[in-house]
Amino acid sequence: MRLDQRLILALDMTDPKRAVELAGSVRSHVDAVKVGWPLVLAGGLDVLRTLAKSGYVLCDFKIADIPNTSRLIVEQAVDAGASGIICHGFVGEDSVRACVDAAGGKDVFVVVEMSHPGGVEYTAKHAEDLARLATRANATGIVAPATRPERVSALRAIIGRKQILAPGVGAQGGKASEAIVAGADAVIVGRAIYEAANPAAAATAIATEIRSVVSR
Ligand code: BMP
């Protein structure tokens, strides 16, 4: 994924019209929009098709199934215009490989450790192994928690130059600059942008905060 702003907007909402409008107003301040179950269940894959016309859409279905079912899901997402997809790593290497194969050159990001408090209960205990799995399976990168920058650093040491996308900034308590300094390539931000009175200004402020640590 090409990352200039190092910022991805999560469109976690159920009103397709609002999602498309919001994406339009924030597009130039972010590298991609992330679309997940809430929006697709509400608006169908058509909303993904519409968003894909104006840039990179990262399709976050957190795929976690047997290889054949995973493949079918990825094919639908790519067919609708996704430039990247997110899958879980805990399902095992065969399922992640099925996602990578089905993506046909589109980006695949593997969730290795989740950002919420519950992410410590199970995912954190296996994150290093899952990062190695993502590397072996030729994924584009991993998803790791901005809420725990020290974990981003630890995972960076394992995955070398693969990309790290870090959610958990703002509403979940993480700080964009800290995640980037720890080794994230980009942060994923939802509520801190789309719930702001001026989402474009909120996105610009986060991008500026990121630039302030990148140019050092
Ligand atoms: P918010 O900035 O509103 O907390 O949204 C974060 C986004 O990142 C949501 O779309 C969520 O599903 C996603 N995400 C996360 O928060 N933690 C993870 O570990 C993995 C995610 O994909």
Side-chain angles (χ1 to χ4, degrees), residues 167-191:
V169 166
Q172 294 181 54
K175 218 170 148 23
S177 48
E178 287 177 8
I180 297 291
V181 168
D185 293 283
V187 293
I188 296 172
V189 183
R191 287 164 287 179

Side-chain angles (χ1 to χ4, degrees), residues 10 12 34 60 62 113-115 143 167 169 171-172 188-191 194:
D12 296 320
K34 183 174 83 69
D60 180 10
K62 289 201 181 61
E113 177 171 332
M114 295 199 70
S115 61
V143 178
V169 166
Q172 294 181 54
I188 296 172
V189 183
R191 287 164 287 179
Y194 66 71

Side-chain angles (χ1 to χ4, degrees), residues 28-40:
S28 56
H29 308 291
V30 301
D31 298 301
V33 296
K34 183 174 83 69
V35 169
W37 287 119
L39 188 55
V40 169

Side-chain angles (χ1 to χ4, degrees), residues 53-75:
K53 284 183 193 143
S54 45
Y56 190 116
V57 177
L58 178 58
C59 188
D60 180 10
F61 291 156
K62 289 201 181 61
I63 303 163
D65 216 312
I66 62 167
N68 185 57
T69 310
S70 298
R71 170 181 67 82
L72 292 168
I73 296 168
V74 172
E75 284 171 1

Side-chain angles (χ1 to χ4, degrees), residues 14-25:
T14 52
D15 178 349
K17 190 165 169 280
R18 179 173 168 232
V20 171
E21 280 169 10
L22 199 99
S25 68

Side-chain angles (χ1 to χ4, degrees), residues 41 49-50 89 97 131 139 156 182:
L41 289 173
R49 285 188 190 95
T50 304
R97 277 190 187 279
R156 167 58 74 201

